[in-house]
Amino acid sequence: MSAPEAVSTERTDETGWEAVRELPPSAKLVAKVLEYNETLTQSQLAEETLLPPRTVRYALNRLEEVDVVESRFSFSDARKRLYTLSIDSR
């Protein structure tokens, strides 16, 4: 069980969609939804993907680990963060 974890942490040289390809299905779905919708909050992502908020949070953390998602505070509600895909669509 530790072998796949070691492989996933060693693959830091991949960028963009190649890095997303190695992530769990929930992270791929969140990335695709962000590709079609420029900027969304975590709750909006949960609504769009029909995933539980906890799963969306996990997916966003995985996407941030491989540097394909950027987040910033919402100016309208500082308690929320806005997420944007930071890779080019193909």
Side-chain angles (χ1 to χ4, degrees):
M1 193 157 134
S2 62
E5 292 174 15
V7 171
S8 65
T9 57
E10 291 176 9
R11 302 196 105 161
T12 57
D13 58 336
E14 293 181 345
T15 58
W17 288 109
E18 294 95 27
V20 174
R21 193 174 297 132
E22 301 298 323
L23 296 178
S26 59
K28 293 175 188 173
L29 177 59
V30 168
K32 273 299 187 186
V33 168
L34 284 173
E35 181 182 22
Y36 293 112
N37 302 286
E38 290 183 17
T39 303
L40 295 173
T41 64
Q42 181 180 329
S43 58
Q44 290 171 326
L45 281 165
E47 287 177 27
E48 289 288 323
T49 60
L50 302 177
L51 293 171
R54 184 176 180 176
T55 304
V56 172
R57 190 168 45 251
Y58 173 75
L60 287 168
N61 286 336
R62 294 297 304 268
L63 291 166
E64 285 179 327
E65 286 174 6
V66 294
D67 293 326
V68 296
V69 167
E70 295 176 354
S71 66
R72 61 176 165 49
F73 288 106
S74 169
F75 290 116
S76 61
D77 186 351
R79 297 172 295 175
K80 296 181 180 181
R81 295 188 71 76
L82 298 172
Y83 296 92
T84 308
L85 194 66
S86 61
I87 53 179
D88 295 326
S89 8
R90 291 185 188 187

